[in-house]
Amino acid sequence: MRNPTIVLLSMCVALAAQAGRERPFLDEPRPMSQTAPEWIEEQAWQEAEVKLPPYPKDEALVEFQVDRPNDRFRYFLDRDAISVDGGDGVVRYTVVMESDRGARNLAHEGIRCETLEYKIYAYGGKDGQFQPVRHPQWKAIRADSYNRFRRDLYDFYFCDNLLPRQSEQIQRALQRGGEGKGNPFFGG
């Protein structure tokens, strides 16, 4: 009677030798072509023109929760200033941050879901007008304390697997308190 270990080992060696001759899988990657195939149209991303919305009215503000313990701020979105229809995949919105003492900071911003970045287009001024940022730049959204509200907007309200949600989906998420919030599979 043959030893089952030897039989199994010799079968593995035979299969490995056969697989080496046929090469069903490549051992090393093939070099990538410098040009894309003809069927792929390369288009550089271009941001749409940004028009500042009207200054927010209190009755249009919707509070959203931020996953940040001991936060001394309340966060609101102007539901009338949320837009996803620029054709560039950027969700634009006006955020109001209110301290526990009642001081308010306003900004009109955009989140690019595809790259997990944000840009501040304008700040709210004391005169009830937006003051445009001179040279707005895209910056990475991190989950640190300063950017926590942006990360929550990205995760629970604005984006779904690198794609922006539709305006109606965002409005529903605001009414519900965020998509997936409180669900351990969504980090909430």
Side-chain angles (χ1 to χ4, degrees), residues 44-57:
W45 178 81
Q46 186 164 354
E47 186 172 11
E49 183 181 343
V50 177
K51 294 179 184 172
L52 295 177
Y55 210 73
K57 296 179 178 155

Side-chain angles (χ1 to χ4, degrees), residues 3 5 10 17-18 20 29 40 44 73 78 98 114 119-120 126 128 133 145 155 158 163 172 180-181:
N3 185 343
T5 306
S10 53
Q18 182 68 18
I40 296 179
F73 288 91
D78 178 357
E98 185 176 86
E114 182 180 10
K119 182 189 272 190
I120 302 172
K126 292 180 183 179
V133 173
S145 60
D155 287 337
F158 292 168
L163 296 173
R172 276 196 310 270
K181 245 183 169 185

Side-chain angles (χ1 to χ4, degrees), residues 21 44 81 99:
R21 278 186 260 137
S99 75

Side-chain angles (χ1 to χ4, degrees), residues 112-166:
R112 189 170 174 212
C113 297
E114 182 180 10
T115 59
L116 192 65
E117 294 176 305
Y118 76 96
K119 182 189 272 190
I120 302 172
Y121 299 107
Y123 290 105
K126 292 180 183 179
D127 59 355
Q129 300 291 318
F130 281 112
Q131 303 301 317
V133 173
R134 286 191 185 163
H135 302 289
Q137 299 293 315
W138 288 104
K139 297 179 182 176
I141 298 175
R142 297 189 185 358
D144 60 16
S145 60
Y146 176 73
N147 284 303
R148 185 71 239 178
F149 79 93
R150 292 183 184 104
R151 184 59 193 238
D152 280 5
L153 288 173
Y154 178 93
D155 287 337
F156 303 118
Y157 299 94
F158 292 168
C159 305
D160 187 16
N161 294 323
L162 303 179
L163 296 173
R165 290 190 169 111
Q166 299 299 314

Side-chain angles (χ1 to χ4, degrees), residues 6-157:
I6 293 174
V7 172
L8 184 59
L9 184 60
S10 53
M11 286 176 58
C12 288
V13 169
L15 284 173
Q18 182 68 18
R21 278 186 260 137
E22 293 178 8
R23 295 183 50 106
F25 302 103
L26 295 177
D27 295 331
E28 63 275 337
R30 291 185 293 192
M32 298 268 309
S33 169
Q34 297 294 3
T35 59
E38 292 176 20
W39 52 271
I40 296 179
E41 292 183 34
E42 292 270 336
Q43 292 183 358
W45 178 81
Q46 186 164 354
E47 186 172 11
E49 183 181 343
V50 177
K51 294 179 184 172
L52 295 177
Y55 210 73
K57 296 179 178 155
D58 284 347
E59 56 269 13
L61 298 180
V62 179
E63 187 170 8
F64 67 96
Q65 298 301 309
V66 175
D67 287 336
R68 192 166 118 184
N70 304 319
D71 194 359
R72 297 183 350 214
F73 288 91
R74 294 173 62 197
Y75 297 88
F76 302 88
L77 289 176
D78 178 357
R79 73 169 165 258
D80 297 334
I82 298 170
S83 70
V84 192
D85 42 341
D88 57 5
V90 176
V91 180
R92 292 182 180 82
Y93 58 95
T94 297
V95 63
V96 177
M97 296 158 276
E98 185 176 86
S99 75
D100 55 1
R101 295 186 181 192
R104 282 186 166 186
N105 291 317
L106 285 84
H108 187 67
E109 304 183 349
I111 287 181
R112 189 170 174 212
C113 297
E114 182 180 10
T115 59
L116 192 65
E117 294 176 305
Y118 76 96
K119 182 189 272 190
I120 302 172
Y121 299 107
Y123 290 105
K126 292 180 183 179
D127 59 355
Q129 300 291 318
F130 281 112
Q131 303 301 317
V133 173
R134 286 191 185 163
H135 302 289
Q137 299 293 315
W138 288 104
K139 297 179 182 176
I141 298 175
R142 297 189 185 358
D144 60 16
S145 60
Y146 176 73
N147 284 303
R148 185 71 239 178
F149 79 93
R150 292 183 184 104
R151 184 59 193 238
D152 280 5
L153 288 173
Y154 178 93
D155 287 337
F156 303 118
Y157 299 94

